[in-house]
């Protein structure tokens, strides 16, 4: 039986294991500091497709197929898949899903989708409703840029707080079986929508900070853990400015994450790349860092305990045009070698 | 312990109860045949807001608040809410969620969202991860029409297979407690994405039929029930033409639903309304029929066993412009007085 530690946090007695992952990224991500950890690095970010949306769809489909194959399973062994992406009506996920024969739950949590999908997959596993569940997400710079901002052909100028949407997809497979020592999902802390009335759509990292701070604070309050319990605390895509603000905000609550905190968006690109500005963003950002660098480092024994806090900015182009501020959400997932 | 009856179907031993519901609809829906069952009928479909998106958001927020109040609970008693809508980036749901202090999972399943949200809420309840969970969705004719089709000011002509998006929101509260005889979620059958290569975005009812047929077929194969087990089998929004095709398709599989089958979209509007064409559609369609007519009839004892099969067409304006066909999905939820 799992234990509810507080209003936002559940501890899983069954500790679902991550049996396999697959990470696939675009060329720019493939030149970043985590390059040796990705499974697939595209030479061409269209992946041979005739639109960026179809390219993104092909990434998530490939990540699903490769994850299942790595675990030596068949599609028919998988009970459910939880997935979503940034595109209107989950275009890339839904079109990938028609190619696979797996019961499917579509999610939208903006860039929080990786930890949202893992949270739900882990609860379903822990409740004995499934043997094998897939969870994951994707994003693509070019499909996101032209949907949320400007046509790519404009070559519009970027400001210092802009972030570069990650091209990539990460999928994990949760299961119970296997004697092998594998990373497990031990706790989840589910987020609430927080809006501190930031309106600047070119500064989404900052807009997501209150949601991240709230979820991390709830996690430590409800679990009784200290920040140094984890080898790393990772946020999704607050970027280099959001990261600094998060550290300060949590300090006010008596939580010092400055020594073991990294933001996936701040780390994912090589700093000498053009136009990265405040770092990476997108659902794919924390997805490929988790399924690449983190998962493989946990397997190698480089570290043992991490807290993944994927962060989503819940704006739409319509809401921005109607003068609305930017709400955010963040879900935390504790992953440990136990 | 719940039992997995097959690849798509789970039977819940705990049988989560529907403790309360709230249904809110626009004026046109409020003149339909189910008018006496809705809790709230708007006089003005803007609900006093200055945009249709904000109006839709206010509907789902009101439905949430009223549902919690009916159960004599507080926001702080609710463990999770599962919700989503049709708008890009779930605009109406996400902006409603910032007004409530409840851990939130955002979903996108197009018009299948009502049964998707109930399926997940029921699994989380059954797995002992929560005491109280909300599930629901909303749609609005004017926000959907201008996002997916044409500016409202065009007054564009509609074809016979067009459907009219329902303005409304329906929320249910699942819980375990209470001795009172209440409708329970007994089984769920989760859908897969099906695409029979229909391209006509003015004929979405037909595009969703293969998904509905597949889910209903799986439900009866895996549960061993016959079609006449249920007092009513309800699809979400196949409309008057889709409904006929579904009956024929299932007949080929030896399942005769012709005697106890209704489509919420086919029923929801008064036939003398202008421009309804093939019937209602939208996430809100099956949501308000369930939380209005069905829930109250179950409580009154008018009937005892229903199968709700909300149906979603997973197209986007981008996918249509890129020449893509329309994939569909459908999730089934069995609701019984037991």
């Amino acid at each position: 039986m799992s234990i509810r530690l507080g209003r936002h946090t559940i501890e899983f007695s069954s500790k679902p294991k991550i049996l396999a992952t697959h990470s696939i990224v675009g060329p720019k991500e493939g030149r970043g500091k985590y390059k040796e950890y990705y499974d697939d690095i595209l030479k061409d970010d269209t992946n041979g497709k005739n639109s960026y949306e179809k390219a993104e769809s092909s990434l998530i489909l490939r990540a699903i197929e490769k994850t299942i194959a790595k675990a030596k399973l068949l599609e028919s062994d998988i009970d459910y898949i939880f997935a979503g992406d940034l595109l209107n009506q989950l275009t890339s996920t839904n079109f990938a899903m028609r190619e696979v024969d797996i019961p499917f739950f579509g999610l939208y949590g903006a860039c929080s989708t990786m930890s949202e999908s893992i949270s739900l997959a882990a609860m379903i596993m822990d409740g004995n409703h499934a043997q094998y569940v897939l969870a994951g997400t994707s994003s693509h710079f070019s499909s996101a840029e032209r949907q949320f901002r400007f046509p790519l052909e404009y070559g519009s100028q970027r400001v210092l707080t802009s972030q570069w949407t990650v091209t990539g997809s990460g999928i994990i497979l949760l299961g119970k079986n296997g004697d092998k020592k594998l990373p497990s999902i031990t706790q989840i802390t589910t987020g609430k929508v927080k809006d501190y009335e930031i309106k600047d759509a070119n500064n989404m990292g900052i807009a997501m900070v209150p949601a991240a701070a709230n979820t991390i604070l709830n996690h430590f309050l409800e679990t009784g853990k200290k920040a140094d319990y984890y080898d790393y605390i990772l946020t999704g895509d607050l970027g280099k400015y959001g990261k600094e603000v998060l550290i300060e905000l949590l300090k006010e609550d008596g939580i010092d994450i400055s020594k073991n905190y990294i933001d996936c968006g701040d780390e994912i690109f090589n700093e000498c790349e053009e136009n990265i500005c405040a770092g990476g963003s997108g659902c794919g950002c924390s997805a490929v860092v988790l399924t690449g660098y983190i998962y493989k480092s946990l397997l190698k024994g480089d570290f043992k305990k991490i807290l993944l806090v994927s962060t989503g900015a819940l704006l739409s182009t319509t809401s921005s045009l109607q003068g609305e501020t930017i709400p955010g959400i963040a879900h935390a997932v504790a992953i440990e070698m136990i």
Side-chain angles (χ1 to χ4, degrees), chain A:
Chain A
M1 283 291 300
S2 59
I3 305 159
R4 179 166 278 276
L5 300 180
R7 176 138 169 71
H8 312 82
T9 306
I10 287 176
E11 180 166 288
F12 297 121
S13 54
S14 68
K15 298 180 177 51
K17 287 180 178 175
I18 306 179
L19 302 184
T21 71
H22 194 82
S23 56
I24 177 167
V25 296
K28 198 163 187 153
E29 294 73 15
R31 294 189 295 267
K33 68 189 281 190
Y34 298 137
K35 61 187 173 191
E36 66 197 274
Y37 297 96
Y38 301 124
D39 297 297
D40 270 328
I41 299 174
L42 297 177
K43 288 205 177 89
D44 164 9
D45 75 352
T46 68
N47 200 22
K49 305 296 171 188
N50 63 8
S51 81
Y52 293 116
E53 292 74 20
K54 290 180 186 181
E56 184 181 337
S57 196
S58 73
L59 299 193
I60 190 164
L61 180 59
R62 185 180 172 93
I64 290 166
E65 289 172 342
K66 289 280 184 178
T67 303
I68 297 172
K70 279 182 194 170
K72 298 191 171 58
L73 294 173
L74 300 171
E75 266 182 26
S76 55
D77 295 315
I78 311 299
D79 296 310
Y80 298 107
I81 178 161
F82 289 88
D85 61 82
L86 285 175
L87 298 185
N88 298 343
Q89 291 78 51
L90 309 187
T91 304
S92 54
T93 304
N94 283 332
F95 282 83
M97 286 312 128
R98 71 180 172 179
E99 309 297 330
V100 296
D101 190 48
I102 303 173
F104 165 57
F105 291 111
L107 309 178
Y108 185 81
C111 309
S112 74
T113 305
M114 195 65 201
S115 52
E116 182 185 4
S117 66
I118 298 173
S119 297
L120 289 169
M123 279 203 272
I124 268 50
M125 293 290 310
D126 187 66
N128 280 313
H129 297 113
Q131 285 294 315
Y132 297 107
V133 183
L134 291 169
T137 183
S138 66
S139 57
H140 194 296
F141 170 77
S142 298
S143 63
E145 192 73 7
R146 67 184 188 173
Q147 175 182 280
F148 287 105
R149 297 187 184 95
F150 297 102
L152 297 161
E153 296 79 357
Y154 281 15
S156 63
Q157 279 201 309
R158 301 166 67 80
V159 298
L160 283 177
T161 53
S162 296
Q163 291 174 250
W164 188 275
T165 307
V166 164
T167 296
S169 174
I171 292 283
I172 72 164
L173 173 69
L174 289 186
K176 288 180 177 176
N177 61 343
D179 301 324
K180 232 176 104 181
K181 215 169 152 61
L182 289 167
S184 297
I185 314 298
T186 55
Q187 296 170 334
I188 59 167
T189 300
T190 302
K192 295 182 293 203
V193 175
K194 293 285 161 190
D195 189 339
Y196 276 35
E197 302 193 354
I198 287 159
K199 278 195 177 188
D200 181 359
N202 287 314
N203 197 355
M204 293 205 293
I206 298 286
M208 296 186 283
V209 168
N214 183 259
T215 297
I216 293 171
L217 178 63
N218 288 333
H219 181 77
F220 287 118
L221 286 177
E222 295 177 7
T223 60
K225 289 173 177 172
K226 302 284 174 208
D228 63 3
Y229 176 87
Y230 294 105
D231 297 305
Y232 288 110
I233 296 163
L234 300 101
T235 49
D237 50 356
L238 303 184
K240 72 167 78 155
Y241 305 111
K243 179 185 167 176
E244 298 305 320
V245 180
L246 179 67
I247 291 171
E248 291 308 311
L249 261 188
L250 284 171
K251 252 185 204 157
E252 289 175 15
D253 292 310
I255 296 173
D256 179 9
I257 61 166
S258 63
K259 291 181 192 67
N260 55 343
Y261 166 48
I262 58 176
D263 177 71
C264 300
D266 186 39
E267 301 283 329
I268 195 165
F269 291 113
N270 192 321
E271 279 192 12
C272 65
E273 297 282 348
E274 270 187 304
N275 275 325
I276 296 305
C277 304
S281 65
C283 302
C285 183
S286 61
V288 301
V289 172
L290 174 70
T291 54
Y293 170 59
I294 296 293
Y295 187 69
K296 286 164 191 173
S297 300
L298 287 167
L299 288 184
K300 275 202 292 179
D302 292 348
F303 46 82
K304 289 185 174 171
K305 296 166 184 173
I306 70 107
L307 185 72
L308 177 74
V309 190
S310 303
T311 39
L314 302 174
L315 79 172
S316 74
T317 50
T318 304
S319 71
S320 291
L321 288 172
Q322 292 184 7
E324 270 294 357
T325 52
I326 304 173
I329 195 163
H331 304 292
V333 176
I335 303 175
E336 304 181 55
M337 294 297 286
I338 45 164

